[in-house]
Each structure stands twice: as structure tokens, then as C-alpha cells.
Amino acid sequence: MASTSAAVPFWRSAGITYVAYSNVCANLLRNCLKEPHKSEALTREKVHFSRSNWTDGKPQKPTLRSDTPED
Amino acid sequence: MMLRQASRLLAGSVRLSRRPFSTATEVPAAATTTNADSGFMESWKKVIPNIDPPKTPSHFMNPRPATPSSIPSKITVNFVLPYASELSAKELGLFGLYAFLLTCFLVECDNESVGKEVVGEAEVWNRQWEVVARSFFRVLRKVVVPTQRKKGEVMVMAQESGGEGEMVAAAKQREGKEVDMVIIPATTGQMGVLPGHVPTIAELKPGILSVHEGNDVTKYFLSSGFAFIHANSVADVIAVEAVPVDHIDPSLVQKGLTDFTQKLSSATTELDKAEAQIGVDIHSALNAALSG
């Protein structure tokens, strides 16, 4: 097991994971594009998922998350 | 005692019957399977000699180009995005994308060194990740220590990695692009990659990737990602979002920069500060890209 690791990036110490960091960077970049490219890019940002927790082998009420690009 | 003898007898009979089967089934397989699958094939045949082994992902992929004995004159760059490709190559783009996802996973493990410790930790994880974790080590071993390439397990992780779905997307097969040099925006600074570069995995920060071919330079702004440089002078550059520099709107960049600098100064919680800092970083990199 690694002991306390060396220089941790600032986003990691604040609780953001690499995947989240990378997505935030990508979103910010998309927001800075010129018009025709920007609308195409924004379509790529959309995330849709439905999540349900399971207890006793049965799914509970699912939460549907349909994301529009905003943070 | 009976059971033990039974298993021994069974093993014995399997061994005897394996010879006729191995010649019959291996002939078609050998033509297309690389050495990478031999371990899998053997263990399959030991356990299930009567059924043909399934086709592993390696069967469908072309093997990685061998490391040439002398340094080639051009470096092949595969520049892969989840949804499109700028300069990318057959198969190797796929490999790079998976390797990217794997590396994300490892970075999430809070351990940035590629070493046995990582494998140790990774293998302790629950079943769902076990396959993924083993494949990481193999993949990374291939990248960092150029030996023969085993591709079998790599494909599995694409379905299992889930997480934030945007990064998991099918990469198509395309032609490679051979260039003289690429400059990648690694976290440790701008890194120039020439043919014959030491095999490296570099984490990228938001910045410009410049591709130099003869006298032409093409610049792309990358949001973040990884660059894998292999021993055979092939580089895979993977980013979530990459745009040619002309697609960037300067007024939006300025606006974003002022917004985030303001948010940074007024931020209270660690999380807000980190987000504002990310904003400032990327906008200042964009600014530099536009003016540079």
C-alpha cells in the first residue's frame, strides 16, 4: 500500500475525481467555442442516466438524471 | 480420497485426449492468434478440451507494430477523441482509448506510480473491478516495458468502466498519421516527442498540441487527457475534447477568465476554490493559445 502520496493535484485534495476534473475542463472548453462548433459540441455534453438503489433485492424508486450542459 | 483420485484420473484422461484435439483445433486458431493468446488457449484446453476456445479480442485486432531495431524517421501519432478523430490509427486508437480509461482508473486510485503496489491494491478490489484491474497492469506493462503485447483482457474493461459515460465511446479504425514531431502539453510542461522517444505516459493539462510535419504545424487545443508514447515510435494522444485553435472564440475566453478569477477570489469552500481554479487554468491556457 502506498503511504501518503506526494504532491496531490489541487482538485484531488478538494474532492474532485480525475474523471470529473476532465469533464469540467471539457465543458469549459466547449463553452468557449465559436458558434457552429459550439452547438455541435454542446450536444456531446448531454448525459442521461437513471439510477436506482436496491434494498432486499428490490429496486427502489429510480432517480432519472437527464443533464443539460450547466454546472 | 476417492475424490482426489477421481480428479487425478480425470486430469490424466484430459491430458491423453488433448493431443488429438490440440492439433485439430489449433490449426485455424494459430493462423490468426498472436502469441498473446497462447496462455489463454492452453488453460482453456486443459479445462475444456472438447469445445473450441472462443475468439478473444486479440483475434480481431492487428498486433501492434514491432519495435524497429533502428529509430524510424517519423513518429506515428494517433490522436483520438471519444467522438471523432483528428489523426488516428487503426486499432492503436482503440488501444489508446482503453489505456486512457485504464489510466483514469489508476489516477482515481490515488496512486500515480506504475508499480507493483498499484497492482497489489488493484487486485484487492471487488470482483467487478478484478478483470479491469488485471488488464490495467498488463496494458501498462506493455506501454512502459515494451515486450510482447497481450491484448486479450483489455477490451473487457470498456464495458465495465461505466463512470461518467462520456469517455466510453467506440473508436473507429482509421489510418495513422506519420509526422516529424509533436509537442504535447504535459502537466510537467511542453514535451516534444520525436521518433525514438522513450516510452512514456504523460498526463496532459489543458493546452496546445502541435503537430509538426515538414514545414506545416497544426495546432489543437486539448482539454485534458493522456499521451502514451510507445517504444515503436507510435504515440497515442487522447483527450476528451480537442479543437483546432481557430474554433475558439476570444471574447468568450476573456469573459470566462474574468468570471473565474472573480469566483476564485470570492470562493469559500475547498470545492468552490478548486472549481474556480480549474476555470482560471483552462481559460488562461486558452488565452495563451490564442495569442501564442
Side-chain angles (χ1 to χ4, degrees):
Chain A
M1 292 283 201
S3 53
T4 47
S5 48
V8 181
F10 65 90
W11 37 268
R12 169 74 63 184
S13 50
I16 304 179
T17 60
Y18 179 80
V19 172
Y21 164 71
S22 189
N23 283 340
V24 167
C25 288
N27 290 342
L28 293 174
L29 177 57
R30 286 183 195 119
N31 287 334
C32 290
L33 298 179
K34 286 186 187 154
E35 210 13 70
H37 311 287
K38 186 166 180 177
S39 20
E40 290 168 33
L42 293 183
T43 56
R44 295 205 283 256
E45 247 173 34
K46 297 198 196 314
V47 173
H48 301 265
F49 61 83
S50 157
R51 173 196 157 145
S52 45
N53 291 326
W54 290 62
T55 35
D56 298 332
K58 292 184 185 54
Q60 306 305 308
K61 182 174 179 305
T63 44
L64 187 68
R65 177 166 170 217
S66 178
D67 210 30
T68 44
E70 105 261 319
D71 256 318
Chain B
M1 181 132 110
M2 286 266 288
L3 285 171
R4 258 178 42 198
Q5 287 196 350
S7 61
R8 202 163 21 101
L9 288 171
L10 204 58
S13 67
V14 165
R15 246 180 282 128
L16 284 174
S17 62
R18 214 158 43 111
R19 263 175 253 124
F21 283 104
S22 57
T23 44
T25 50
E26 249 171 48
V27 165
T32 43
T33 318
T34 62
N35 297 337
D37 283 336
S38 57
F40 172 72
M41 296 292 182
E42 275 175 32
S43 23
W44 178 277
K45 296 220 170 72
K46 265 186 227 166
V47 181
I48 318 168
N50 298 330
I51 304 177
D52 281 339
K55 292 197 175 108
T56 56
S58 324
H59 176 88
F60 299 99
M61 289 165 76
N62 293 330
R64 187 212 289 265
T67 308
S69 48
S70 63
I71 297 174
S73 58
K74 291 215 186 254
I75 187 169
T76 313
V77 177
N78 308 319
F79 185 10
V80 192
L81 305 177
Y83 304 93
S85 68
E86 296 294 345
L87 339 152
S88 45
K90 273 195 212 127
E91 311 297 2
L92 300 172
L94 269 171
F95 174 74
L97 184 62
Y98 297 139
F100 170 51
L101 294 161
L102 299 177
T103 317
C104 283
F105 175 68
L106 275 172
V107 173
E108 300 296 11
C109 288
D110 254 319
N111 191 331
E112 278 155 313
S113 61
V114 177
K116 286 233 156 74
E117 304 170 294
V118 176
V119 176
E121 268 187 15
E123 291 200 5
V124 163
W125 287 48
N126 65 32
R127 189 74 207 156
Q128 190 204 359
W129 289 107
E130 202 175 38
V131 175
V132 183
R134 290 223 168 86
S135 57
F136 283 102
F137 181 60
R138 287 196 180 90
V139 169
L140 285 163
R141 192 201 265 152
K142 295 319 145 194
V143 175
V144 175
V145 178
T147 51
Q148 262 185 0
R149 183 178 170 203
K150 278 193 195 144
K151 299 177 242 44
E153 289 84 343
V154 178
M155 286 275 210
V156 182
M157 58 75 59
Q159 283 82 44
E160 297 202 295
S161 68
E164 302 191 45
E166 291 191 2
M167 291 189 193
V168 183
K172 291 176 272 180
Q173 301 184 6
R174 307 153 196 124
E175 294 303 316
K177 176 108 193 253
E178 307 222 336
V179 297
D180 293 326
M181 173 171 82
V182 283
I183 300 183
I184 59 178
T187 44
T188 51
Q190 300 284 103
M191 184 191 290
V193 181
L194 291 149
H197 196 282
V198 167
T200 312
I201 304 178
E203 181 187 347
L204 306 179
K205 62 180 179 202
I208 302 185
L209 171 83
S210 39
V211 181
H212 298 249
E213 163 112 51
N215 283 327
D216 315 312
V217 179
T218 336
K219 290 190 181 177
Y220 301 91
F221 188 86
L222 308 174
S223 65
S224 62
F226 289 92
F228 299 85
I229 301 155
H230 307 296
N232 51 8
S233 293
V234 173
D236 297 322
V237 178
I238 302 143
V240 178
E241 195 66 47
V243 293
V245 172
D246 343 323
H247 292 194
I248 305 176
D249 188 350
S251 54
L252 289 173
V253 174
Q254 286 299 351
K255 184 163 154 303
L257 186 57
T258 47
D259 279 347
F260 279 100
T261 350
Q262 198 229 350
K263 271 190 211 165
L264 183 59
S265 48
S266 66
T268 43
T269 64
E270 273 288 327
L271 189 59
D272 287 339
K273 269 194 223 146
E275 286 183 4
Q277 182 67 50
I278 297 174
V280 168
D281 281 347
I282 197 168
H283 284 93
S284 34
L286 276 162
N287 233 349
L290 288 170
S291 50

